[in-house]
Amino acid sequence: MNQIIIATSRYGDEIEALLKIGLAEQINKGLLNLDKYQAGKYKFLALNIIKTNLLSSTNDCFLTKVSSILAKIYVDFWEKDLISKIAAFEYPYFKREELERIKNNAVKILTLDREREVGKKIYEFLLENSLINLDGFILFRLQKEVSEIYHSLDLAVEEQILEKEYQEFIKVVKCFLEIQPVKVRMVQVFWVNGYLVLVDEHQRKVEDEFIENLLTQSQRLFLEDILISALISLAPEKIIIHRHDDSLNFDLKPIKDIFEERVEICTKCEGYREG
């Protein structure tokens, strides 16, 4: 009798359920049946082909379905457990909520076609083997995928550290802003030929020596840094940012995070007209 046997120490019930769903047509037609038995910590799932004249253990469609199911179990369950264990062991100094963010980001970093890649490896293995021990397969045949987990966690940790530093920066700047006197009630921000222009509510250019010095540094400093420094110095009650130059790769997030409800983004007016 042709058969494929799947041995696993984990997620046996989930694998069984998915096999019954994915192979329901073959089972209902009496082409194969699914037997199961337990031996120690391992659960064995045997796909026994009954009508070998209609189905074989090397049938492409049959192997593809089985491989896809096992790949899905790996990505949806096994891999997430590996991420949790590795993260807890490698980065015990992070708080629980930080570690959760790191794990979630690590999953996002991993390649989107991961399930397809794992499924292909399982398919190639099953072409030559009727028994697959998932524990051993993952340990010895998916070393590349497991190493990618470590790499994704490293990147996620870097992101977490940068985000933490960013939040600390925002917190410090907001504290400073609370004690900074208001110099201009409203500041409107325009881009003219790649340069920043700051005007008040009457469309008059803001006259301030520090601001003028800042604006001359546009060749050496990022526009974001110049604008943030200028707005902190002026501490306006209202900020309107007019966005007309789509070629500028300008990140407004820090300004929104610092000034919050003071900031308004205008995308409808015709832009700056010097009076």
Side-chain angles (χ1 to χ4, degrees), residues 82-220:
L82 286 173
I83 289 172
S84 294
K85 287 183 177 179
I86 294 169
F89 180 79
E90 295 286 341
Y91 311 108
Y93 42 84
F94 282 103
K95 297 177 182 177
R96 181 179 296 179
E97 60 271 20
E98 292 176 330
L99 208 54
E100 285 302 313
R101 282 196 293 270
I102 288 169
K103 290 188 292 185
N104 291 335
N105 287 336
V107 171
K108 295 175 184 176
I109 290 169
L110 290 168
T111 54
L112 294 175
D113 57 350
R114 197 167 184 77
E115 194 171 311
R116 183 185 62 80
E117 293 173 356
V118 173
K120 182 180 178 183
K121 289 187 176 183
I122 294 174
Y123 176 89
E124 291 171 351
F125 181 84
L126 290 177
L127 275 176
E128 300 180 359
N129 300 274
S130 60
L131 169 64
I132 180 169
N133 181 322
L134 283 183
D135 298 62
F137 184 86
I138 291 167
L139 181 62
F140 297 108
R141 299 294 184 113
L142 297 186
Q143 292 181 0
K144 174 178 173 289
E145 282 74 15
V146 173
S147 69
E148 288 173 354
I149 291 176
Y150 280 91
H151 180 62
S152 71
L153 281 168
D154 287 342
L155 293 177
V157 166
E158 289 178 16
E159 287 182 5
Q160 176 63 30
I161 292 172
L162 289 174
E163 176 62 21
K164 194 171 182 178
E165 291 175 347
Y166 173 80
Q167 294 300 334
E168 287 296 321
F169 164 74
I170 296 298
K171 184 179 178 180
V172 169
V173 172
K174 288 172 76 172
C175 287
F176 176 77
L177 198 59
E178 288 179 2
I179 61 173
Q180 181 79 341
V182 175
K183 292 184 181 179
V184 180
R185 193 188 73 80
M186 176 189 286
V187 171
Q188 300 188 73
V189 181
F190 292 92
W191 280 268
V192 179
N193 298 323
Y195 290 91
L196 284 169
V197 176
L198 306 183
V199 301
D200 61 18
E201 65 267 36
H202 304 296
Q203 294 278 325
R204 296 178 301 207
K205 284 187 179 180
V206 174
E207 294 184 1
D208 184 284
E209 186 177 346
F210 173 72
I211 304 301
E212 289 175 5
N213 268 342
L214 268 178
L215 295 177
T216 62
Q217 305 299 313
S218 59
Q219 299 300 321
R220 288 182 288 179

Side-chain angles (χ1 to χ4, degrees), residues 60 131 147 239 260 268:
D60 182 73
L131 169 64
S147 69
I239 301 166
E260 297 179 322
K268 297 179 180 179

Side-chain angles (χ1 to χ4, degrees), residues 10-11 14-15 17-19 21-22 63-81 112-120 122-123 134 137-138 142:
R10 310 173 74 182
Y11 308 117
E14 288 81 1
I15 296 172
L18 287 179
L19 287 173
I21 294 170
L63 282 186
T64 298
K65 284 185 178 180
V66 174
S67 302
S68 297
I69 288 167
L70 297 182
K72 182 173 180 60
I73 289 292
Y74 169 76
V75 172
D76 288 353
F77 296 96
W78 218 300
E79 189 169 74
K80 287 182 172 60
D81 275 359
L112 294 175
D113 57 350
R114 197 167 184 77
E115 194 171 311
R116 183 185 62 80
E117 293 173 356
V118 173
K120 182 180 178 183
I122 294 174
Y123 176 89
L134 283 183
F137 184 86
I138 291 167
L142 297 186

Side-chain angles (χ1 to χ4, degrees), residues 196-256:
L196 284 169
V197 176
L198 306 183
V199 301
D200 61 18
E201 65 267 36
H202 304 296
Q203 294 278 325
R204 296 178 301 207
K205 284 187 179 180
V206 174
E207 294 184 1
D208 184 284
E209 186 177 346
F210 173 72
I211 304 301
E212 289 175 5
N213 268 342
L214 268 178
L215 295 177
T216 62
Q217 305 299 313
S218 59
Q219 299 300 321
R220 288 182 288 179
L221 297 175
F222 291 111
L223 283 176
E224 290 97 328
D225 296 334
I226 293 174
L227 183 54
I228 289 171
S229 297
L231 293 175
I232 290 172
S233 174
L234 297 171
E237 296 174 353
K238 180 73 175 177
I239 301 166
I240 300 178
I241 298 177
H242 303 267
R243 304 204 69 182
H244 302 285
D245 193 339
D246 293 333
S247 66
L248 290 170
N249 184 19
F250 194 92
D251 185 10
L252 290 174
K253 186 178 185 302
I255 295 172
K256 290 179 179 178

